[in-house]
Amino acid sequence: AQSDPHSGVVGKDGRAWFTLTTAGLKIVSVDPETNKITLYTNPEDKGTSHTMVMDKDGNLWISGHGTDSAYAQVWSFDVKTEKFKAYKIPGPPEYPDDSKGKWEHYAKDGFVRLGTYHMGFDSKGMLWTSSLEVGMISRIDPKTGETKEYFPPGVAGMRGMAVDSHDNIWFSDFYYHRLGMLDQKTGQFKFYAPPTRGIGAY
């Protein structure tokens, strides 16, 4: 059977956790003491998992594609209760003209298909996500589920992201070969072009 493990983190108890990017929301844990592998699925959600990060409490957050094409989605996974929770992120009403989704004609039945790609937490516990299909950054409040969306100018799609010690949000402008930074205090973007042409910053 195909499993396609993608990204992983190591929990506070030493277990390693990985996403599986095949159809359906699936993650696995590996216990290095016993070599036991445990599969966790959410049968109520057919979304696909991608990247995983861990919060300060040791719980997991998973990016990917949801089942409702009008929304992007992330999931939390409580490692004690072994329960998933979905957080929906509204997308734009249509693909921006300079987005990957517009180039590749992703829209079907009037829906904008988008997912979440990478994630990071800031010092206040807010979760930030990137999107490859629309070049959108989203901020999620894990306590309330409230979201705020940002659209960096001229970004077709982004992959990796990171939050620095000043709570700036760094992201890869994958298709235009730049690194971008959002200063969340001012809402302003800056871009940096590495000297190597065509780098495809990931």
Side-chain angles (χ1 to χ4, degrees), residues 64-87:
H65 279 90
T67 53
D68 185 340
S69 56
Y71 292 89
Q73 216 161 272
V74 297
W75 298 267
S76 64
F77 181 77
D78 188 309
V79 296
K80 293 179 180 177
T81 65
E82 299 181 354
K83 299 294 184 183
F84 290 94
K85 182 179 178 180
Y87 293 77

Side-chain angles (χ1 to χ4, degrees), residues 45 67-68 70-74 86-91 140 145-147 149:
D45 199 316
T67 53
D68 185 340
Y71 292 89
Q73 216 161 272
V74 297
Y87 293 77
K88 290 185 176 182
I89 303 169
I140 305 168
E146 181 182 357
T147 66
E149 286 68 54

Side-chain angles (χ1 to χ4, degrees), residues 33-54:
E33 297 295 326
T34 63
N35 294 325
K36 181 181 179 182
I37 299 173
T38 305
L39 173 68
Y40 304 86
T41 64
N42 186 358
E44 297 176 0
D45 199 316
K46 305 302 181 185
T48 57
S49 56
H50 189 268
T51 302
M52 180 184 291
V53 296
M54 184 174 292

Side-chain angles (χ1 to χ4, degrees), residues 121-124 163-169 182 184-185:
F121 283 97
D122 68 20
S123 65
K124 297 178 178 63
V163 183
D164 70 19
S165 61
H166 300 287
D167 281 345
N168 297 310
I169 314 303
L182 166 62
Q184 64 163 306
K185 296 181 180 70

